[in-house]
Amino acid sequence: MNAIHVQNATVFLSGNKVLKGINWSVKRGERCFILGANGAGKTTLVRMLMGYAWPLFGATVEVLGSRFGSVNLQELRKKIAWVSPLMHQWLGDHEWTGREMVLSGPDATIGLYRTPTQAEEARAAELMEALQASHLRERKVTTMSSGEQVKVLIARALMTNPELMILDEPSVFLDIAGREFLLSTIRRLAEQRPELTLIFITQRIEDILPEFSRGMILREGQILAHGSRDEVLTEENLRRTYKLPIRLIRAENGRLWTVM
């Protein structure tokens, strides 16, 4: 059974064709990466999967068995954990604390709009401690570094038992230590939740853990390659994607690094 099924999806934003005829499926429980340079359409694809951007008439978008156009998107979003370092841009004038952002997870809102239960408070505290983020409980999200915000957003994502987790360039603003901590957290999550469908979006090859066994490359709004990890992450595909003479080095832990 598919967690994601997209057919013939073309998306225009501000008059520009950002996605062009996307056909893509992800099975439940798969760990899939999406690789692409800036402007490839990665974030627009996520917005479409979340119901914040809509394809032209004639497309099919199904997420977790629900077909867009006949589903309550607010309820569907409660089953999806979306982690993006850009989510803080949606805060508006609110000065939410780290604790409040984490507690908003069960409602799929950006910020807390009700009184949480004691069980939710305990769960939020447990998650923030596990992510070494307890000191951020009463800090305003707008005053946090990008790495601190990502920790809070991961805790928020884990407040429920999501069926699908979308990690939208979560390490883009992190330093090396922060990136490796994040990747180790993702690895543990993949081990502990084998039924969880994981989508990891990035522009950096070295961030793609071996756990992500399938994936695709987006270039200029189109799918350049898709399939198994070894089929997609080839020197030829990466050279076409980035227009650079890329060579790949495989580390002992299975991660790939690029040199030129």
Side-chain angles (χ1 to χ4, degrees), residues 8-20:
N8 194 35
T10 295
V11 177
F12 279 83
L13 293 178
S14 302
N16 297 313
K17 188 186 287 187
V18 184
L19 294 179
K20 307 167 187 177

Side-chain angles (χ1 to χ4, degrees), residues 189-218:
L189 180 64
E191 293 172 353
Q192 295 167 2
R193 293 282 309 276
E195 79 289 353
L196 177 64
T197 306
L198 286 172
I199 306 296
F200 185 81
I201 299 166
T202 184
Q203 55 183 293
R204 300 193 299 209
I205 294 90
E206 64 269 20
D207 286 358
I208 303 174
L209 295 169
E211 283 78 2
F212 291 90
S213 58
R214 297 191 64 80
M216 72 172 174
I217 296 175
L218 278 179

Side-chain angles (χ1 to χ4, degrees), residues 148-161:
E148 290 170 336
Q149 289 175 358
V150 168
K151 287 184 180 182
V152 167
L153 291 173
I154 290 176
R156 173 185 177 275
L158 295 175
M159 275 295 291
T160 59
N161 288 314

